[in-house]
Amino acid sequence: MKTELKAKFIQHILAKKKGDEGFTLIELLVVIIIIGILSAIALPSFLNQANKAKQSEAKTYIGTMNRAQQAFYLEQNRFASQADFGSLGLGIATQTTNYVYSIAGGGGTATIVTNQAATAGGATVPLRSYIGGVGVVTQSGTSEATTIALLCEANAARVNGGADVSAMTGVSSCPTNFSSLSK
């Protein structure tokens, strides 16, 4: 008798489970709402990371241009101008999808040159502008001339009223509305 009771109990449990399959409409709606809330939180963060990756291109290129200007000055005893862009040997395009790269100043007897990364879409792009400056300075302790470089980032993206690129007047500090990234 005990085995019959056990068998009927197991059949009753199995029959009950078959009737409880599936999800209710309320359960599905709750899951969909939770997924929607999570995606609404994550999407702005994801888009911000995409812009940071695009801006990383400009930081890298301007830093490379600064180092190339220092090497060019060491070899040629002058800074490269926009006409000498190819002579820097960078192997980068003057315009990419996100930025337009240019050189302000340089050439002749200039003691400062400005490497610029302006947003390719103008003021409608959610990217920041970048400026790099390289200048000749005299060391106070040794009275020797050397070059120093400075990398500056706009305080805000162009679409948010951020500054456009301009020529630098010195390499000791960044222009107005720009912050130094140099260490």
Side-chain angles (χ1 to χ4, degrees):
M1 184 69 71
K2 284 185 171 182
T3 53
E4 284 181 25
L5 186 59
K6 287 181 184 177
K8 289 205 181 238
F9 182 69
I10 291 173
Q11 285 177 350
H12 177 69
I13 291 174
L14 293 175
K16 188 176 181 183
K17 282 190 175 180
K18 286 182 182 175
D20 290 341
E21 288 182 11
F23 299 105
T24 65
L25 183 60
I26 303 256
E27 291 171 330
L28 290 174
L29 286 175
V30 167
V31 169
I32 290 171
I33 289 171
I34 290 171
I35 290 172
I37 290 170
L38 291 175
S39 63
I41 292 169
L43 185 62
S45 177
F46 173 74
L47 294 175
N48 190 30
Q49 291 302 320
N51 286 338
K52 283 184 179 181
K54 292 174 184 176
Q55 290 173 171
S56 177
E57 167 201 313
K59 287 183 215 177
T60 302
Y61 279 14
I62 294 298
T64 302
M65 290 171 70
N66 281 352
R67 288 184 293 282
Q69 286 284 9
Q70 288 175 310
F72 192 87
Y73 187 84
L74 182 65
E75 293 173 1
Q76 304 288 328
N77 204 28
R78 66 179 179 91
F79 289 114
S81 64
Q82 183 66 32
D84 300 319
F85 196 97
S87 300
L88 289 175
L90 299 172
I92 63 173
T94 56
Q95 182 166 357
T96 63
T97 306
N98 304 310
Y99 287 95
V100 176
Y101 301 96
S102 61
I103 300 171
T109 60
T111 59
I112 187 170
V113 65
T114 305
N115 302 306
Q116 304 172 343
T119 55
T124 61
V125 179
L127 299 174
R128 297 175 186 227
S129 300
Y130 292 87
I131 298 174
V134 181
V136 179
V137 295
T138 304
Q139 297 293 330
S140 59
T142 61
S143 298
E144 294 178 345
T146 187
T147 58
I148 61 168
L150 182 64
L151 178 60
C152 305
E153 174 184 60
N155 293 336
R158 292 292 313 278
V159 73
N160 296 330
D164 196 7
V165 294
S166 61
M168 294 176 72
T169 56
V171 289
S172 58
S173 64
C174 293
T176 307
N177 298 323
F178 281 83
S179 299
S180 175
L181 295 178
S182 299
K183 294 179 181 176

PDB file of all heavy atoms in Angstrom, residues 120-156:
ATOM      1  N   ALA A 120      35.710  67.755 -37.170  1.00  0.00           N
ATOM      2  CA  ALA A 120      35.416  67.750 -38.602  1.00  0.00           C
ATOM      3  C   ALA A 120      34.006  68.257 -38.903  1.00  0.00           C
ATOM      4  O   ALA A 120      33.758  68.813 -39.956  1.00  0.00           O
ATOM      5  CB  ALA A 120      35.603  66.348 -39.177  1.00  0.00           C
ATOM      6  N   GLY A 121      33.078  68.096 -37.979  1.00  0.00           N
ATOM      7  CA  GLY A 121      31.703  68.532 -38.208  1.00  0.00           C
ATOM      8  C   GLY A 121      31.404  69.915 -37.673  1.00  0.00           C
ATOM      9  O   GLY A 121      30.257  70.318 -37.618  1.00  0.00           O
ATOM     10  N   GLY A 122      32.418  70.647 -37.240  1.00  0.00           N
ATOM     11  CA  GLY A 122      32.202  71.988 -36.705  1.00  0.00           C
ATOM     12  C   GLY A 122      31.564  71.954 -35.331  1.00  0.00           C
ATOM     13  O   GLY A 122      31.842  71.077 -34.523  1.00  0.00           O
ATOM     14  N   ALA A 123      30.682  72.908 -35.080  1.00  0.00           N
ATOM     15  CA  ALA A 123      30.087  73.073 -33.750  1.00  0.00           C
ATOM     16  C   ALA A 123      28.924  72.123 -33.478  1.00  0.00           C
ATOM     17  O   ALA A 123      28.318  72.179 -32.424  1.00  0.00           O
ATOM     18  CB  ALA A 123      29.627  74.514 -33.572  1.00  0.00           C
ATOM     19  N   THR A 124      28.590  71.257 -34.421  1.00  0.00           N
ATOM     20  CA  THR A 124      27.458  70.350 -34.227  1.00  0.00           C
ATOM     21  C   THR A 124      27.890  68.970 -33.733  1.00  0.00           C
ATOM     22  O   THR A 124      27.055  68.099 -33.551  1.00  0.00           O
ATOM     23  CB  THR A 124      26.688  70.176 -35.548  1.00  0.00           C
ATOM     24  OG1 THR A 124      27.565  69.605 -36.521  1.00  0.00           O
ATOM     25  CG2 THR A 124      26.144  71.506 -36.037  1.00  0.00           C
ATOM     26  N   VAL A 125      29.175  68.778 -33.517  1.00  0.00           N
ATOM     27  CA  VAL A 125      29.703  67.463 -33.140  1.00  0.00           C
ATOM     28  C   VAL A 125      29.926  67.403 -31.629  1.00  0.00           C
ATOM     29  O   VAL A 125      30.458  68.351 -31.049  1.00  0.00           O
ATOM     30  CB  VAL A 125      31.031  67.203 -33.890  1.00  0.00           C
ATOM     31  CG1 VAL A 125      31.612  65.870 -33.510  1.00  0.00           C
ATOM     32  CG2 VAL A 125      30.802  67.270 -35.387  1.00  0.00           C
ATOM     33  N   PRO A 126      29.560  66.293 -30.979  1.00  0.00           N
ATOM     34  CA  PRO A 126      29.750  66.191 -29.527  1.00  0.00           C
ATOM     35  C   PRO A 126      31.175  65.773 -29.136  1.00  0.00           C
ATOM     36  O   PRO A 126      31.368  64.917 -28.291  1.00  0.00           O
ATOM     37  CB  PRO A 126      28.729  65.125 -29.123  1.00  0.00           C
ATOM     38  CG  PRO A 126      28.635  64.244 -30.314  1.00  0.00           C
ATOM     39  CD  PRO A 126      28.810  65.152 -31.502  1.00  0.00           C
ATOM     40  N   LEU A 127      32.162  66.369 -29.774  1.00  0.00           N
ATOM     41  CA  LEU A 127      33.569  66.062 -29.489  1.00  0.00           C
ATOM     42  C   LEU A 127      34.291  67.331 -29.066  1.00  0.00           C
ATOM     43  O   LEU A 127      33.923  68.429 -29.470  1.00  0.00           O
ATOM     44  CB  LEU A 127      34.256  65.480 -30.730  1.00  0.00           C
ATOM     45  CG  LEU A 127      33.684  64.179 -31.278  1.00  0.00           C
ATOM     46  CD1 LEU A 127      34.363  63.811 -32.587  1.00  0.00           C
ATOM     47  CD2 LEU A 127      33.814  63.064 -30.271  1.00  0.00           C
ATOM     48  N   ARG A 128      35.353  67.164 -28.299  1.00  0.00           N
ATOM     49  CA  ARG A 128      36.166  68.294 -27.851  1.00  0.00           C
ATOM     50  C   ARG A 128      37.279  68.575 -28.857  1.00  0.00           C
ATOM     51  O   ARG A 128      37.716  67.686 -29.567  1.00  0.00           O
ATOM     52  CB  ARG A 128      36.788  67.990 -26.497  1.00  0.00           C
ATOM     53  CG  ARG A 128      35.769  67.799 -25.406  1.00  0.00           C
ATOM     54  CD  ARG A 128      36.446  67.378 -24.128  1.00  0.00           C
ATOM     55  NE  ARG A 128      35.464  67.045 -23.114  1.00  0.00           N
ATOM     56  CZ  ARG A 128      35.514  67.480 -21.869  1.00  0.00           C
ATOM     57  NH1 ARG A 128      36.507  68.224 -21.460  1.00  0.00           N
ATOM     58  NH2 ARG A 128      34.590  67.141 -21.014  1.00  0.00           N
ATOM     59  N   SER A 129      37.730  69.812 -28.885  1.00  0.00           N
ATOM     60  CA  SER A 129      38.864  70.213 -29.716  1.00  0.00           C
ATOM     61  C   SER A 129      40.147  70.053 -28.908  1.00  0.00           C
ATOM     62  O   SER A 129      40.121  70.090 -27.675  1.00  0.00           O
ATOM     63  CB  SER A 129      38.722  71.665 -30.164  1.00  0.00           C
ATOM     64  OG  SER A 129      37.546  71.834 -30.910  1.00  0.00           O
ATOM     65  N   TYR A 130      41.275  69.915 -29.607  1.00  0.00           N
ATOM     66  CA  TYR A 130      42.576  69.742 -28.949  1.00  0.00           C
ATOM     67  C   TYR A 130      43.613  70.655 -29.581  1.00  0.00           C
ATOM     68  O   TYR A 130      43.579  70.901 -30.789  1.00  0.00           O
ATOM     69  CB  TYR A 130      43.040  68.287 -29.043  1.00  0.00           C
ATOM     70  CG  TYR A 130      42.174  67.372 -28.226  1.00  0.00           C
ATOM     71  CD1 TYR A 130      41.018  66.816 -28.768  1.00  0.00           C
ATOM     72  CD2 TYR A 130      42.476  67.101 -26.905  1.00  0.00           C
ATOM     73  CE1 TYR A 130      40.201  66.018 -28.011  1.00  0.00           C
ATOM     74  CE2 TYR A 130      41.661  66.294 -26.139  1.00  0.00           C
ATOM     75  CZ  TYR A 130      40.527  65.759 -26.695  1.00  0.00           C
ATOM     76  OH  TYR A 130      39.709  64.968 -25.929  1.00  0.00           O
ATOM     77  N   ILE A 131      44.512  71.152 -28.749  1.00  0.00           N
ATOM     78  CA  ILE A 131      45.610  72.003 -29.204  1.00  0.00           C
ATOM     79  C   ILE A 131      46.892  71.489 -28.560  1.00  0.00           C
ATOM     80  O   ILE A 131      46.928  71.193 -27.370  1.00  0.00           O
ATOM     81  CB  ILE A 131      45.406  73.476 -28.796  1.00  0.00           C
ATOM     82  CG1 ILE A 131      44.144  74.044 -29.420  1.00  0.00           C
ATOM     83  CG2 ILE A 131      46.610  74.317 -29.173  1.00  0.00           C
ATOM     84  CD1 ILE A 131      43.818  75.448 -28.943  1.00  0.00           C
ATOM     85  N   GLY A 132      47.932  71.401 -29.380  1.00  0.00           N
ATOM     86  CA  GLY A 132      49.247  71.067 -28.860  1.00  0.00           C
ATOM     87  C   GLY A 132      50.206  72.183 -29.210  1.00  0.00           C
ATOM     88  O   GLY A 132      50.194  72.699 -30.332  1.00  0.00           O
ATOM     89  N   GLY A 133      51.004  72.577 -28.276  1.00  0.00           N
ATOM     90  CA  GLY A 133      51.972  73.635 -28.532  1.00  0.00           C
ATOM     91  C   GLY A 133      53.383  73.160 -28.236  1.00  0.00           C
ATOM     92  O   GLY A 133      53.616  72.427 -27.277  1.00  0.00           O
ATOM     93  N   VAL A 134      54.311  73.552 -29.098  1.00  0.00           N
ATOM     94  CA  VAL A 134      55.729  73.251 -28.890  1.00  0.00           C
ATOM     95  C   VAL A 134      56.467  74.573 -29.009  1.00  0.00           C
ATOM     96  O   VAL A 134      56.244  75.333 -29.958  1.00  0.00           O
ATOM     97  CB  VAL A 134      56.271  72.238 -29.918  1.00  0.00           C
ATOM     98  CG1 VAL A 134      57.736  71.932 -29.655  1.00  0.00           C
ATOM     99  CG2 VAL A 134      55.451  70.954 -29.897  1.00  0.00           C
ATOM    100  N   GLY A 135      57.321  74.847 -28.063  1.00  0.00           N
ATOM    101  CA  GLY A 135      58.054  76.102 -28.090  1.00  0.00           C
ATOM    102  C   GLY A 135      59.482  75.939 -27.619  1.00  0.00           C
ATOM    103  O   GLY A 135      59.840  74.955 -26.972  1.00  0.00           O
ATOM    104  N   VAL A 136      60.288  76.930 -27.961  1.00  0.00           N
ATOM    105  CA  VAL A 136      61.686  76.959 -27.539  1.00  0.00           C
ATOM    106  C   VAL A 136      61.769  77.805 -26.278  1.00  0.00           C
ATOM    107  O   VAL A 136      61.274  78.926 -26.241  1.00  0.00           O
ATOM    108  CB  VAL A 136      62.589  77.560 -28.645  1.00  0.00           C
ATOM    109  CG1 VAL A 136      64.029  77.613 -28.176  1.00  0.00           C
ATOM    110  CG2 VAL A 136      62.463  76.763 -29.917  1.00  0.00           C
ATOM    111  N   VAL A 137      62.372  77.240 -25.243  1.00  0.00           N
ATOM    112  CA  VAL A 137      62.558  77.961 -23.986  1.00  0.00           C
ATOM    113  C   VAL A 137      64.009  77.826 -23.556  1.00  0.00           C
ATOM    114  O   VAL A 137      64.717  76.908 -23.966  1.00  0.00           O
ATOM    115  CB  VAL A 137      61.633  77.433 -22.863  1.00  0.00           C
ATOM    116  CG1 VAL A 137      60.187  77.673 -23.193  1.00  0.00           C
ATOM    117  CG2 VAL A 137      61.893  75.969 -22.593  1.00  0.00           C
ATOM    118  N   THR A 138      64.444  78.762 -22.735  1.00  0.00           N
ATOM    119  CA  THR A 138      65.804  78.716 -22.206  1.00  0.00           C
ATOM    120  C   THR A 138      65.745  78.248 -20.759  1.00  0.00           C
ATOM    121  O   THR A 138      65.000  78.809 -19.948  1.00  0.00           O
ATOM    122  CB  THR A 138      66.459  80.109 -22.282  1.00  0.00           C
ATOM    123  OG1 THR A 138      66.406  80.556 -23.642  1.00  0.00           O
ATOM    124  CG2 THR A 138      67.888  80.075 -21.808  1.00  0.00           C
ATOM    125  N   GLN A 139      66.491  77.220 -20.446  1.00  0.00           N
ATOM    126  CA  GLN A 139      66.556  76.703 -19.079  1.00  0.00           C
ATOM    127  C   GLN A 139      67.266  77.703 -18.193  1.00  0.00           C
ATOM    128  O   GLN A 139      68.343  78.193 -18.538  1.00  0.00           O
ATOM    129  CB  GLN A 139      67.291  75.357 -19.047  1.00  0.00           C
ATOM    130  CG  GLN A 139      66.618  74.260 -19.826  1.00  0.00           C
ATOM    131  CD  GLN A 139      65.291  73.851 -19.202  1.00  0.00           C
ATOM    132  OE1 GLN A 139      65.090  73.940 -17.999  1.00  0.00           O
ATOM    133  NE2 GLN A 139      64.366  73.420 -20.041  1.00  0.00           N
ATOM    134  N   SER A 140      66.677  78.032 -17.069  1.00  0.00           N
ATOM    135  CA  SER A 140      67.253  79.057 -16.194  1.00  0.00           C
ATOM    136  C   SER A 140      68.561  78.590 -15.544  1.00  0.00           C
ATOM    137  O   SER A 140      69.475  79.387 -15.361  1.00  0.00           O
ATOM    138  CB  SER A 140      66.252  79.451 -15.103  1.00  0.00           C
ATOM    139  OG  SER A 140      65.894  78.312 -14.341  1.00  0.00           O
ATOM    140  N   GLY A 141      68.688  77.325 -15.238  1.00  0.00           N
ATOM    141  CA  GLY A 141      69.888  76.842 -14.567  1.00  0.00           C
ATOM    142  C   GLY A 141      71.097  76.746 -15.473  1.00  0.00           C
ATOM    143  O   GLY A 141      72.219  77.065 -15.079  1.00  0.00           O
ATOM    144  N   THR A 142      70.882  76.328 -16.719  1.00  0.00           N
ATOM    145  CA  THR A 142      72.008  76.086 -17.633  1.00  0.00           C
ATOM    146  C   THR A 142      72.086  77.084 -18.773  1.00  0.00           C
ATOM    147  O   THR A 142      73.052  77.066 -19.532  1.00  0.00           O
ATOM    148  CB  THR A 142      71.899  74.681 -18.228  1.00  0.00           C
ATOM    149  OG1 THR A 142      70.675  74.580 -18.974  1.00  0.00           O
ATOM    150  CG2 THR A 142      71.933  73.612 -17.144  1.00  0.00           C
ATOM    151  N   SER A 143      71.075  77.907 -18.948  1.00  0.00           N
ATOM    152  CA  SER A 143      70.976  78.862 -20.062  1.00  0.00           C
ATOM    153  C   SER A 143      70.998  78.173 -21.422  1.00  0.00           C
ATOM    154  O   SER A 143      71.370  78.777 -22.417  1.00  0.00           O
ATOM    155  CB  SER A 143      72.095  79.910 -19.986  1.00  0.00           C
ATOM    156  OG  SER A 143      71.982  80.651 -18.800  1.00  0.00           O
ATOM    157  N   GLU A 144      70.580  76.917 -21.470  1.00  0.00           N
ATOM    158  CA  GLU A 144      70.515  76.189 -22.733  1.00  0.00           C
ATOM    159  C   GLU A 144      69.102  76.258 -23.282  1.00  0.00           C
ATOM    160  O   GLU A 144      68.127  76.239 -22.538  1.00  0.00           O
ATOM    161  CB  GLU A 144      70.908  74.727 -22.523  1.00  0.00           C
ATOM    162  CG  GLU A 144      72.353  74.532 -22.132  1.00  0.00           C
ATOM    163  CD  GLU A 144      72.684  73.053 -21.891  1.00  0.00           C
ATOM    164  OE1 GLU A 144      71.747  72.243 -21.756  1.00  0.00           O
ATOM    165  OE2 GLU A 144      73.869  72.746 -21.823  1.00  0.00           O
ATOM    166  N   ALA A 145      69.002  76.326 -24.600  1.00  0.00           N
ATOM    167  CA  ALA A 145      67.691  76.335 -25.250  1.00  0.00           C
ATOM    168  C   ALA A 145      67.216  74.900 -25.431  1.00  0.00           C
ATOM    169  O   ALA A 145      67.989  74.009 -25.781  1.00  0.00           O
ATOM    170  CB  ALA A 145      67.779  77.036 -26.601  1.00  0.00           C
ATOM    171  N   THR A 146      65.939  74.680 -25.182  1.00  0.00           N
ATOM    172  CA  THR A 146      65.331  73.364 -25.365  1.00  0.00           C
ATOM    173  C   THR A 146      63.881  73.559 -25.805  1.00  0.00           C
ATOM    174  O   THR A 146      63.349  74.664 -25.740  1.00  0.00           O
ATOM    175  CB  THR A 146      65.404  72.524 -24.073  1.00  0.00           C
ATOM    176  OG1 THR A 146      64.951  71.206 -24.356  1.00  0.00           O
ATOM    177  CG2 THR A 146      64.567  73.129 -22.960  1.00  0.00           C
ATOM    178  N   THR A 147      63.265  72.501 -26.254  1.00  0.00           N
ATOM    179  CA  THR A 147      61.858  72.584 -26.648  1.00  0.00           C
ATOM    180  C   THR A 147      61.004  71.916 -25.575  1.00  0.00           C
ATOM    181  O   THR A 147      61.406  70.920 -24.984  1.00  0.00           O
ATOM    182  CB  THR A 147      61.604  71.880 -27.997  1.00  0.00           C
ATOM    183  OG1 THR A 147      62.010  70.524 -27.901  1.00  0.00           O
ATOM    184  CG2 THR A 147      62.346  72.563 -29.120  1.00  0.00           C
ATOM    185  N   ILE A 148      59.847  72.497 -25.336  1.00  0.00           N
ATOM    186  CA  ILE A 148      58.866  71.882 -24.440  1.00  0.00           C
ATOM    187  C   ILE A 148      57.537  71.803 -25.175  1.00  0.00           C
ATOM    188  O   ILE A 148      57.268  72.592 -26.087  1.00  0.00           O
ATOM    189  CB  ILE A 148      58.713  72.642 -23.105  1.00  0.00           C
ATOM    190  CG1 ILE A 148      58.242  74.078 -23.327  1.00  0.00           C
ATOM    191  CG2 ILE A 148      59.993  72.622 -22.305  1.00  0.00           C
ATOM    192  CD1 ILE A 148      57.812  74.763 -22.045  1.00  0.00           C
ATOM    193  N   ALA A 149      56.725  70.830 -24.784  1.00  0.00           N
ATOM    194  CA  ALA A 149      55.440  70.619 -25.446  1.00  0.00           C
ATOM    195  C   ALA A 149      54.311  70.670 -24.424  1.00  0.00           C
ATOM    196  O   ALA A 149      54.509  70.372 -23.245  1.00  0.00           O
ATOM    197  CB  ALA A 149      55.437  69.272 -26.158  1.00  0.00           C
ATOM    198  N   LEU A 150      53.146  71.061 -24.893  1.00  0.00           N
ATOM    199  CA  LEU A 150      51.961  71.158 -24.054  1.00  0.00           C
ATOM    200  C   LEU A 150      50.774  70.640 -24.858  1.00  0.00           C
ATOM    201  O   LEU A 150      50.628  70.968 -26.042  1.00  0.00           O
ATOM    202  CB  LEU A 150      51.734  72.618 -23.645  1.00  0.00           C
ATOM    203  CG  LEU A 150      50.567  72.924 -22.717  1.00  0.00           C
ATOM    204  CD1 LEU A 150      50.776  72.269 -21.355  1.00  0.00           C
ATOM    205  CD2 LEU A 150      50.415  74.431 -22.545  1.00  0.00           C
ATOM    206  N   LEU A 151      49.940  69.819 -24.234  1.00  0.00           N
ATOM    207  CA  LEU A 151      48.731  69.296 -24.863  1.00  0.00           C
ATOM    208  C   LEU A 151      47.528  69.806 -24.094  1.00  0.00           C
ATOM    209  O   LEU A 151      47.450  69.648 -22.875  1.00  0.00           O
ATOM    210  CB  LEU A 151      48.749  67.760 -24.871  1.00  0.00           C
ATOM    211  CG  LEU A 151      47.528  67.055 -25.450  1.00  0.00           C
ATOM    212  CD1 LEU A 151      47.312  67.444 -26.913  1.00  0.00           C
ATOM    213  CD2 LEU A 151      47.691  65.549 -25.329  1.00  0.00           C
ATOM    214  N   CYS A 152      46.592  70.438 -24.811  1.00  0.00           N
ATOM    215  CA  CYS A 152      45.429  71.058 -24.177  1.00  0.00           C
ATOM    216  C   CYS A 152      44.141  70.504 -24.776  1.00  0.00           C
ATOM    217  O   CYS A 152      44.047  70.273 -25.976  1.00  0.00           O
ATOM    218  CB  CYS A 152      45.452  72.568 -24.362  1.00  0.00           C
ATOM    219  SG  CYS A 152      46.969  73.353 -23.785  1.00  0.00           S
ATOM    220  N   GLU A 153      43.126  70.340 -23.902  1.00  0.00           N
ATOM    221  CA  GLU A 153      41.817  69.835 -24.306  1.00  0.00           C
ATOM    222  C   GLU A 153      40.766  70.894 -23.997  1.00  0.00           C
ATOM    223  O   GLU A 153      40.809  71.525 -22.939  1.00  0.00           O
ATOM    224  CB  GLU A 153      41.513  68.551 -23.525  1.00  0.00           C
ATOM    225  CG  GLU A 153      40.130  67.991 -23.741  1.00  0.00           C
ATOM    226  CD  GLU A 153      39.863  66.782 -22.868  1.00  0.00           C
ATOM    227  OE1 GLU A 153      39.928  66.913 -21.624  1.00  0.00           O
ATOM    228  OE2 GLU A 153      39.593  65.715 -23.431  1.00  0.00           O
ATOM    229  N   ALA A 154      39.811  71.081 -24.909  1.00  0.00           N
ATOM    230  CA  ALA A 154      38.720  72.026 -24.661  1.00  0.00           C
ATOM    231  C   ALA A 154      37.924  71.579 -23.437  1.00  0.00           C
ATOM    232  O   ALA A 154      37.760  70.379 -23.199  1.00  0.00           O
ATOM    233  CB  ALA A 154      37.809  72.121 -25.880  1.00  0.00           C
ATOM    234  N   ASN A 155      37.451  72.520 -22.651  1.00  0.00           N
ATOM    235  CA  ASN A 155      36.711  72.198 -21.429  1.00  0.00           C
ATOM    236  C   ASN A 155      35.343  71.583 -21.707  1.00  0.00           C
ATOM    237  O   ASN A 155      34.786  70.911 -20.853  1.00  0.00           O
ATOM    238  CB  ASN A 155      36.543  73.439 -20.557  1.00  0.00           C
ATOM    239  CG  ASN A 155      37.874  73.923 -20.015  1.00  0.00           C
ATOM    240  OD1 ASN A 155      38.824  73.166 -19.898  1.00  0.00           O
ATOM    241  ND2 ASN A 155      37.945  75.201 -19.698  1.00  0.00           N
ATOM    242  N   ALA A 156      34.795  71.812 -22.907  1.00  0.00           N
ATOM    243  CA  ALA A 156      33.481  71.271 -23.263  1.00  0.00           C
ATOM    244  C   ALA A 156      33.488  70.864 -24.735  1.00  0.00           C
ATOM    245  O   ALA A 156      34.315  71.332 -25.517  1.00  0.00           O
ATOM    246  CB  ALA A 156      32.396  72.310 -23.008  1.00  0.00           C
TER     247      ALA A 156
END
